[in-house]
């Protein structure tokens, strides 16, 4: 197959190239590529360009010749597909942060903020720490390579220009709807051991205070619970770092490859 710029500049292939960029932009904008979350626009633009170059051979080979007259419809359809894939992938990756938020709330680190409009959604930094631990494990196991490969395969399983075919959007909507539930299940799996440790501490401390008839003082329980939480996370660091990558592999594959026309 001819990969020259003349081949790319043909009207049909130019539409495919624009549609590829539209899908990738939508994926990155909604957080489908965790490494670009919170980065500047030039960094995201560079990521889109690099991914477009990587997926172009597969996308061009799989895509039917697009009608230049339908360029708006094709690009809009690919943007919708990219949004769906990006939201589903972002929901899976958010599992680590959700687990951290749950731990921060259970330990009492965010109770004071839960009743104020300006409450900290990061639960005293635990959500961000958990997110970085999960991302570190994902990168350490080569997950970013599999994620890029999954994006390339998504252009084979769902070629450019077939987004409007019967059943495609229904399958995409089903995948997007299932992603938050999958992410929540992963979050509960990750946070379960640490939550159990913190709850056990709260129960033991409450019994000790009742039996001893002592006043623990304001903030003492929260301080001790934070130490218990930190110890639980340190002990379970391998599960956070290595386990997260293992847990998200299957759901990510379903989000990227299992959507078919």
């Amino acid at each position: 197959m001819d990969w020259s710029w003349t081949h790319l500049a043909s009207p049909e292939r130019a539409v495919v190239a624009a549609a590829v960029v539209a899908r990738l932009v939508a994926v990155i904008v909604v957080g489908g590529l965790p490494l670009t979350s919170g980065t500047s626009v030039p960094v995201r633009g560079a990521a889109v360009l690099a991914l477009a170059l990587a997926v172009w051979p597969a996308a061009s080979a799989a895509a039917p010749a697009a009608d230049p007259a339908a360029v708006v419809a094709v690009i809009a359809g690919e943007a919708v597909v990219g949004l769906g894939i990006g939201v589903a992938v972002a929901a899976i990756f958010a599992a680590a942060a959700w687990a951290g938020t749950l731990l921060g709330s259970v330990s009492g680190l965010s109770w004071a903020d839960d009743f104020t409009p300006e409450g900290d959604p990061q639960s005293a930094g635990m959500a961000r720490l958990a997110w970085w631990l999960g991302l570190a494990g994902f990168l350490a196991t080569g997950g970013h390579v599999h994620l890029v490969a999954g994006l390339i395969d998504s252009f084979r399983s769902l070629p450019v220009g077939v987004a409007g075919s019967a059943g495609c959007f229904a399958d995409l909507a089903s995948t997007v709807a299932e992603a938050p539930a999958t992410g929540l299940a992963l979050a509960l799996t990750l946070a379960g051991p640490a939550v159990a440790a913190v709850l056990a501490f709260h129960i033991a401390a409450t019994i000790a205070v009742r039996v001893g008839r002592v006043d623990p003082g304001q903030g003492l329980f929260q301080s001790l619970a934070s130490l218990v939480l930190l110890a639980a996370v340190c002990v379970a660091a391998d599960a956070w770092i290595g386990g997260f990558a293992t847990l998200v592999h299957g759901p990510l594959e379903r989000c990227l490859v299992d959507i078919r026309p």
Side-chain angles (χ1 to χ4, degrees), residues 83-184:
L83 287 174
I85 293 176
V87 167
V89 172
I92 300 300
F93 275 111
W98 291 348
T101 301
L102 177 62
L103 291 177
S105 180
V106 169
S107 65
L109 296 178
S110 63
W111 283 351
D113 295 329
D114 287 341
F115 300 97
T116 60
E118 62 275 12
D120 180 15
Q122 296 299 323
S123 297
M126 190 61 210
R128 182 55 61 181
L129 174 62
W131 185 85
W132 278 111
L133 287 175
L135 182 61
F138 185 76
L139 296 177
T141 57
H144 56 294
V145 177
H146 295 290
L147 180 59
V148 173
L151 285 173
I152 295 174
D153 289 338
S154 70
F155 283 92
R156 296 191 180 102
S157 60
L158 187 61
V160 171
V162 300
S165 61
C168 173
F169 284 131
D171 194 12
L172 179 63
S174 176
T175 300
V176 174
E178 292 174 359
T182 303
L184 181 58

